Amino acid sequence: MWFAGGLVADGSGGEPSAVDVRVTDDVITAIGSAPAGARTVDLDGRLLTPGLIDAHVHLGLSSPIRAQFGFQLSVAEIAADIFATAGHALDAGFTTVRDVGGVDGGVVDVIAKGKVRGPRVLSCGPVQCQTGGHGYYGAEWEPTELWPEHHVPGLCALSLMSGNADELRRNVRESFRRGATFLKLCVTGGVVGRHDNLSDTQFTVEEIAVAVEEAAARGTYVTVHAHNNAGIRNAVRAGARCVEHGTDIDEPTAALMREHDVALVPTFAVVDQILGGESMDLDPATKDRVAGVRDRMASALRTARAAGLRIGLGSDLIGPHQRRRGEELRLRSELESPMQALVAATRVNADILGLGETVGQIRAGMRADLVAWQSNPLKDAKAFADPQMAALVVKGGLTVKDIR
């Protein structure tokens, strides 16, 4: 069929054009003008974009955080929250997401099989964390060895703790056994944490290199949670390919990342989520930890852009309030432009995820992941943040939402 009668922003960054898009099965097969008599979907002047990609999601953290890790919720409720969040992502126009900690392989499988509505999911499985570092949410009195008891095999597994390089190697191999397709390490402290500070560095260069070695052996990569420059530089020197957050990136660190072709995925929406006071069931001290992070992250974005880094886009939303995933694009539009936000959430993210040959752009040969917008988000970026504005969502050639 042809998607006709609209404007197409193809994800390349070029100006939208009045062309039609032919889809055969699950692939885009032509860009041009629909011939007379062709089977068409009338876009009625709407803007058509590639399906959006969120490069930093936590589907497995869709329940109130402390309740989830305090054994206060049933497995059924946790599962219901995860699957609801996956559906909300699809309805907001996101056809691909990269889960950077929280879901186990079973969630990825049931979505891929079509048993549950959701975007295409790439997952690192459990995050690799230093013993007592960021990513550990057990009680103060709880022995580290009890932490895996919080996991639900096939559903959610937030993190694995490593005290040395040998333990990290074992945990990395265990993550791959569970179906991980890339790895994520926490190499600094974080905002949503109890046992660490943003200024902390975690894992040594030699330890990070163990994970990089194991990932390379499987033809994949390591991304790192990192806020401070010392931790980022450790990760870059060890061979990591991507940095999440990057709050305090300075010019020398950005230059080092550029030299090694390391990408950046900033995450603004979660900061606003925490500061906005939504009920996320977090430790009350979290608001104090996030003070100043947004301005510093905006400064880091400017520094990274000036250095010529590949800059993707991730929301990092956590807890039960993940319906407005497109808020990340709105916030990035304020800092740069709506078109830059769209390109980051399509072509650049696809490249960072290793999917640049199949998704992220509207051109012949690409997978048919498409979104038609009720209101043009390139003229008013608020449309990105409103799931109702994603009027038509197509994932792999199948219409998964249509409210035109």
mmCIF file of all heavy atoms in Angstrom, residues 59-60 62-63 75-91 103-104 106-111 115-119 154-155:
data_model
loop_
_atom_site.group_PDB
_atom_site.id
_atom_site.type_symbol
_atom_site.label_atom_id
_atom_site.label_comp_id
_atom_site.label_asym_id
_atom_site.label_seq_id
_atom_site.Cartn_x
_atom_site.Cartn_y
_atom_site.Cartn_z
ATOM 1 N N LEU A 59 11.911 -0.464 31.025
ATOM 2 C CA LEU A 59 10.593 -1.087 31.077
ATOM 3 C C LEU A 59 10.403 -1.858 32.376
ATOM 4 O O LEU A 59 9.295 -1.925 32.924
ATOM 5 C CB LEU A 59 10.398 -2.032 29.887
ATOM 6 C CG LEU A 59 10.422 -1.409 28.489
ATOM 7 C CD1 LEU A 59 10.205 -2.489 27.441
ATOM 8 C CD2 LEU A 59 9.399 -0.302 28.352
ATOM 9 N N GLY A 60 11.480 -2.444 32.867
ATOM 10 C CA GLY A 60 11.396 -3.243 34.087
ATOM 11 C C GLY A 60 11.248 -2.432 35.359
ATOM 12 O O GLY A 60 11.087 -2.999 36.446
ATOM 13 N N SER A 62 8.735 -0.164 35.879
ATOM 14 C CA SER A 62 7.444 0.464 35.605
ATOM 15 C C SER A 62 6.529 0.482 36.821
ATOM 16 O O SER A 62 5.414 1.000 36.742
ATOM 17 C CB SER A 62 6.752 -0.277 34.454
ATOM 18 O OG SER A 62 7.507 -0.173 33.261
ATOM 19 N N SER A 63 6.972 -0.077 37.926
ATOM 20 C CA SER A 63 6.209 -0.074 39.174
ATOM 21 C C SER A 63 6.845 0.914 40.145
ATOM 22 O O SER A 63 7.973 1.372 39.922
ATOM 23 C CB SER A 63 6.215 -1.478 39.795
ATOM 24 O OG SER A 63 5.660 -2.432 38.916
ATOM 25 N N VAL A 75 4.198 -10.526 41.586
ATOM 26 C CA VAL A 75 4.801 -10.657 40.267
ATOM 27 C C VAL A 75 3.793 -10.265 39.196
ATOM 28 O O VAL A 75 4.141 -9.642 38.188
ATOM 29 C CB VAL A 75 5.297 -12.102 40.048
ATOM 30 C CG1 VAL A 75 5.755 -12.309 38.605
ATOM 31 C CG2 VAL A 75 6.442 -12.413 41.006
ATOM 32 N N ALA A 76 2.523 -10.606 39.414
ATOM 33 C CA ALA A 76 1.477 -10.271 38.447
ATOM 34 C C ALA A 76 1.371 -8.764 38.250
ATOM 35 O O ALA A 76 1.222 -8.278 37.117
ATOM 36 C CB ALA A 76 0.138 -10.840 38.909
ATOM 37 N N GLU A 77 1.454 -7.995 39.348
ATOM 38 C CA GLU A 77 1.337 -6.545 39.222
ATOM 39 C C GLU A 77 2.557 -5.952 38.530
ATOM 40 O O GLU A 77 2.437 -5.048 37.702
ATOM 41 C CB GLU A 77 1.140 -5.907 40.597
ATOM 42 C CG GLU A 77 0.874 -4.415 40.525
ATOM 43 C CD GLU A 77 0.362 -3.819 41.823
ATOM 44 O OE1 GLU A 77 0.157 -4.587 42.796
ATOM 45 O OE2 GLU A 77 0.138 -2.604 41.861
ATOM 46 N N ILE A 78 3.731 -6.456 38.860
ATOM 47 C CA ILE A 78 4.948 -5.977 38.202
ATOM 48 C C ILE A 78 4.869 -6.247 36.702
ATOM 49 O O ILE A 78 5.185 -5.391 35.871
ATOM 50 C CB ILE A 78 6.191 -6.638 38.818
ATOM 51 C CG1 ILE A 78 6.358 -6.215 40.281
ATOM 52 C CG2 ILE A 78 7.451 -6.279 38.018
ATOM 53 C CD1 ILE A 78 7.424 -6.995 41.033
ATOM 54 N N ALA A 79 4.429 -7.465 36.338
ATOM 55 C CA ALA A 79 4.303 -7.818 34.921
ATOM 56 C C ALA A 79 3.286 -6.924 34.233
ATOM 57 O O ALA A 79 3.517 -6.432 33.113
ATOM 58 C CB ALA A 79 3.904 -9.288 34.782
ATOM 59 N N ALA A 80 2.148 -6.685 34.885
ATOM 60 C CA ALA A 80 1.113 -5.831 34.298
ATOM 61 C C ALA A 80 1.652 -4.431 34.033
ATOM 62 O O ALA A 80 1.374 -3.825 32.989
ATOM 63 C CB ALA A 80 -0.105 -5.779 35.218
ATOM 64 N N ASP A 81 2.441 -3.897 34.968
ATOM 65 C CA ASP A 81 3.011 -2.559 34.803
ATOM 66 C C ASP A 81 4.004 -2.520 33.647
ATOM 67 O O ASP A 81 4.024 -1.563 32.853
ATOM 68 C CB ASP A 81 3.694 -2.111 36.099
ATOM 69 C CG ASP A 81 2.708 -1.799 37.218
ATOM 70 O OD1 ASP A 81 1.520 -1.590 36.918
ATOM 71 O OD2 ASP A 81 3.138 -1.770 38.386
ATOM 72 N N ILE A 82 4.840 -3.558 33.527
ATOM 73 C CA ILE A 82 5.824 -3.615 32.437
ATOM 74 C C ILE A 82 5.125 -3.633 31.087
ATOM 75 O O ILE A 82 5.472 -2.867 30.172
ATOM 76 C CB ILE A 82 6.730 -4.852 32.592
ATOM 77 C CG1 ILE A 82 7.672 -4.682 33.792
ATOM 78 C CG2 ILE A 82 7.540 -5.101 31.318
ATOM 79 C CD1 ILE A 82 8.475 -5.929 34.137
ATOM 80 N N PHE A 83 4.116 -4.485 30.950
ATOM 81 C CA PHE A 83 3.453 -4.620 29.656
ATOM 82 C C PHE A 83 2.626 -3.383 29.315
ATOM 83 O O PHE A 83 2.513 -3.005 28.139
ATOM 84 C CB PHE A 83 2.596 -5.886 29.637
ATOM 85 C CG PHE A 83 3.407 -7.153 29.777
ATOM 86 C CD1 PHE A 83 2.962 -8.203 30.562
ATOM 87 C CD2 PHE A 83 4.628 -7.280 29.139
ATOM 88 C CE1 PHE A 83 3.714 -9.362 30.694
ATOM 89 C CE2 PHE A 83 5.386 -8.430 29.252
ATOM 90 C CZ PHE A 83 4.931 -9.482 30.031
ATOM 91 N N ALA A 84 2.061 -2.737 30.334
ATOM 92 C CA ALA A 84 1.338 -1.489 30.087
ATOM 93 C C ALA A 84 2.295 -0.412 29.576
ATOM 94 O O ALA A 84 1.979 0.325 28.629
ATOM 95 C CB ALA A 84 0.636 -1.021 31.358
ATOM 96 N N THR A 85 3.475 -0.318 30.180
ATOM 97 C CA THR A 85 4.465 0.671 29.752
ATOM 98 C C THR A 85 4.922 0.407 28.324
ATOM 99 O O THR A 85 5.107 1.344 27.534
ATOM 100 C CB THR A 85 5.669 0.661 30.708
ATOM 101 O OG1 THR A 85 5.234 1.112 31.998
ATOM 102 C CG2 THR A 85 6.778 1.578 30.211
ATOM 103 N N ALA A 86 5.090 -0.862 27.971
ATOM 104 C CA ALA A 86 5.478 -1.203 26.600
ATOM 105 C C ALA A 86 4.417 -0.728 25.613
ATOM 106 O O ALA A 86 4.729 -0.152 24.557
ATOM 107 C CB ALA A 86 5.686 -2.711 26.469
ATOM 108 N N GLY A 87 3.144 -0.922 25.947
ATOM 109 C CA GLY A 87 2.064 -0.456 25.085
ATOM 110 C C GLY A 87 2.007 1.054 24.983
ATOM 111 O O GLY A 87 1.767 1.610 23.897
ATOM 112 N N HIS A 88 2.245 1.736 26.106
ATOM 113 C CA HIS A 88 2.248 3.199 26.094
ATOM 114 C C HIS A 88 3.356 3.734 25.176
ATOM 115 O O HIS A 88 3.166 4.746 24.484
ATOM 116 C CB HIS A 88 2.465 3.749 27.502
ATOM 117 C CG HIS A 88 1.353 3.429 28.461
ATOM 118 N ND1 HIS A 88 0.045 3.299 28.069
ATOM 119 C CD2 HIS A 88 1.368 3.223 29.815
ATOM 120 C CE1 HIS A 88 -0.712 3.017 29.123
ATOM 121 N NE2 HIS A 88 0.061 2.968 30.185
ATOM 122 N N ALA A 89 4.509 3.074 25.174
ATOM 123 C CA ALA A 89 5.616 3.504 24.314
ATOM 124 C C ALA A 89 5.211 3.433 22.847
ATOM 125 O O ALA A 89 5.471 4.359 22.062
ATOM 126 C CB ALA A 89 6.852 2.648 24.571
ATOM 127 N N LEU A 90 4.575 2.346 22.473
ATOM 128 C CA LEU A 90 4.122 2.178 21.094
ATOM 129 C C LEU A 90 3.109 3.253 20.728
ATOM 130 O O LEU A 90 3.176 3.870 19.653
ATOM 131 C CB LEU A 90 3.511 0.789 20.941
ATOM 132 C CG LEU A 90 3.387 0.207 19.533
ATOM 133 C CD1 LEU A 90 4.749 0.090 18.870
ATOM 134 C CD2 LEU A 90 2.705 -1.150 19.589
ATOM 135 N N ASP A 91 2.172 3.522 21.625
ATOM 136 C CA ASP A 91 1.127 4.512 21.357
ATOM 137 C C ASP A 91 1.679 5.931 21.258
ATOM 138 O O ASP A 91 1.040 6.809 20.669
ATOM 139 C CB ASP A 91 0.056 4.453 22.448
ATOM 140 C CG ASP A 91 -0.804 3.198 22.342
ATOM 141 O OD1 ASP A 91 -0.860 2.609 21.244
ATOM 142 O OD2 ASP A 91 -1.406 2.807 23.352
ATOM 143 N N VAL A 103 14.602 -5.283 32.426
ATOM 144 C CA VAL A 103 13.826 -6.408 31.917
ATOM 145 C C VAL A 103 14.723 -7.618 31.673
ATOM 146 O O VAL A 103 15.893 -7.484 31.341
ATOM 147 C CB VAL A 103 13.056 -6.073 30.624
ATOM 148 C CG1 VAL A 103 12.031 -4.996 30.876
ATOM 149 C CG2 VAL A 103 13.991 -5.698 29.489
ATOM 150 N N ASP A 104 14.132 -8.788 31.858
ATOM 151 C CA ASP A 104 14.809 -10.023 31.513
ATOM 152 C C ASP A 104 14.341 -10.445 30.123
ATOM 153 O O ASP A 104 13.385 -9.892 29.575
ATOM 154 C CB ASP A 104 14.501 -11.106 32.552
ATOM 155 C CG ASP A 104 15.702 -12.026 32.805
ATOM 156 O OD1 ASP A 104 16.641 -11.978 32.002
ATOM 157 O OD2 ASP A 104 15.691 -12.773 33.792
ATOM 158 N N GLY A 106 12.554 -12.690 28.809
ATOM 159 C CA GLY A 106 11.190 -13.106 28.541
ATOM 160 C C GLY A 106 10.311 -11.984 28.028
ATOM 161 O O GLY A 106 9.438 -12.197 27.170
ATOM 162 N N VAL A 107 10.516 -10.778 28.547
ATOM 163 C CA VAL A 107 9.730 -9.625 28.105
ATOM 164 C C VAL A 107 10.034 -9.314 26.643
ATOM 165 O O VAL A 107 9.119 -9.075 25.836
ATOM 166 C CB VAL A 107 10.019 -8.391 28.987
ATOM 167 C CG1 VAL A 107 9.333 -7.154 28.426
ATOM 168 C CG2 VAL A 107 9.572 -8.642 30.417
ATOM 169 N N VAL A 108 11.301 -9.335 26.291
ATOM 170 C CA VAL A 108 11.701 -9.089 24.907
ATOM 171 C C VAL A 108 11.039 -10.112 23.985
ATOM 172 O O VAL A 108 10.517 -9.777 22.914
ATOM 173 C CB VAL A 108 13.232 -9.155 24.765
ATOM 174 C CG1 VAL A 108 13.653 -8.930 23.317
ATOM 175 C CG2 VAL A 108 13.902 -8.133 25.685
ATOM 176 N N ASP A 109 11.032 -11.369 24.400
ATOM 177 C CA ASP A 109 10.495 -12.449 23.564
ATOM 178 C C ASP A 109 8.996 -12.328 23.341
ATOM 179 O O ASP A 109 8.516 -12.478 22.212
ATOM 180 C CB ASP A 109 10.813 -13.813 24.196
ATOM 181 C CG ASP A 109 12.287 -14.167 24.123
ATOM 182 O OD1 ASP A 109 13.003 -13.529 23.329
ATOM 183 O OD2 ASP A 109 12.717 -15.066 24.865
ATOM 184 N N VAL A 110 8.222 -12.056 24.412
ATOM 185 C CA VAL A 110 6.763 -12.031 24.227
ATOM 186 C C VAL A 110 6.326 -10.834 23.389
ATOM 187 O O VAL A 110 5.334 -10.914 22.654
ATOM 188 C CB VAL A 110 5.999 -12.073 25.574
ATOM 189 C CG1 VAL A 110 6.256 -13.387 26.284
ATOM 190 C CG2 VAL A 110 6.330 -10.883 26.451
ATOM 191 N N ILE A 111 7.064 -9.731 23.463
ATOM 192 C CA ILE A 111 6.751 -8.592 22.599
ATOM 193 C C ILE A 111 7.101 -8.929 21.153
ATOM 194 O O ILE A 111 6.327 -8.660 20.231
ATOM 195 C CB ILE A 111 7.483 -7.328 23.078
ATOM 196 C CG1 ILE A 111 6.955 -6.875 24.440
ATOM 197 C CG2 ILE A 111 7.317 -6.196 22.049
ATOM 198 C CD1 ILE A 111 7.690 -5.692 25.035
ATOM 199 N N LYS A 115 2.677 -11.318 21.392
ATOM 200 C CA LYS A 115 1.730 -11.689 22.446
ATOM 201 C C LYS A 115 1.377 -10.494 23.331
ATOM 202 O O LYS A 115 0.343 -10.515 24.007
ATOM 203 C CB LYS A 115 2.322 -12.823 23.301
ATOM 204 C CG LYS A 115 2.476 -14.134 22.543
ATOM 205 C CD LYS A 115 2.919 -15.265 23.457
ATOM 206 C CE LYS A 115 2.941 -16.588 22.708
ATOM 207 N NZ LYS A 115 3.302 -17.729 23.582
ATOM 208 N N VAL A 116 2.235 -9.497 23.328
ATOM 209 C CA VAL A 116 2.010 -8.269 24.092
ATOM 210 C C VAL A 116 2.333 -7.091 23.183
ATOM 211 O O VAL A 116 3.298 -7.143 22.416
ATOM 212 C CB VAL A 116 2.908 -8.222 25.353
ATOM 213 C CG1 VAL A 116 2.727 -6.906 26.089
ATOM 214 C CG2 VAL A 116 2.613 -9.394 26.266
ATOM 215 N N ARG A 117 1.542 -6.022 23.237
ATOM 216 C CA ARG A 117 1.822 -4.830 22.437
ATOM 217 C C ARG A 117 3.059 -4.125 22.969
ATOM 218 O O ARG A 117 3.208 -3.947 24.170
ATOM 219 C CB ARG A 117 0.652 -3.846 22.474
ATOM 220 C CG ARG A 117 -0.608 -4.327 21.816
ATOM 221 C CD ARG A 117 -1.677 -3.231 21.838
ATOM 222 N NE ARG A 117 -1.390 -2.157 20.897
ATOM 223 C CZ ARG A 117 -1.092 -0.920 21.231
ATOM 224 N NH1 ARG A 117 -1.023 -0.565 22.506
ATOM 225 N NH2 ARG A 117 -0.856 0.002 20.307
ATOM 226 N N GLY A 118 3.910 -3.733 22.058
ATOM 227 C CA GLY A 118 5.076 -2.982 22.473
ATOM 228 C C GLY A 118 6.019 -2.750 21.323
ATOM 229 O O GLY A 118 5.870 -3.331 20.238
ATOM 230 N N PRO A 119 7.011 -1.886 21.533
ATOM 231 C CA PRO A 119 8.005 -1.622 20.489
ATOM 232 C C PRO A 119 9.001 -2.775 20.388
ATOM 233 O O PRO A 119 9.039 -3.672 21.234
ATOM 234 C CB PRO A 119 8.693 -0.346 20.994
ATOM 235 C CG PRO A 119 8.555 -0.422 22.479
ATOM 236 C CD PRO A 119 7.240 -1.107 22.748
ATOM 237 N N GLY A 154 12.950 -14.266 33.711
ATOM 238 C CA GLY A 154 12.109 -14.091 32.547
ATOM 239 C C GLY A 154 11.327 -12.800 32.528
ATOM 240 O O GLY A 154 10.724 -12.451 31.511
ATOM 241 N N LEU A 155 11.334 -12.053 33.624
ATOM 242 C CA LEU A 155 10.544 -10.820 33.704
ATOM 243 C C LEU A 155 11.388 -9.597 34.023
ATOM 244 O O LEU A 155 11.454 -8.661 33.223
ATOM 245 C CB LEU A 155 9.434 -10.964 34.747
ATOM 246 C CG LEU A 155 8.466 -9.779 34.848
ATOM 247 C CD1 LEU A 155 7.619 -9.662 33.580
ATOM 248 C CD2 LEU A 155 7.569 -9.914 36.083
#
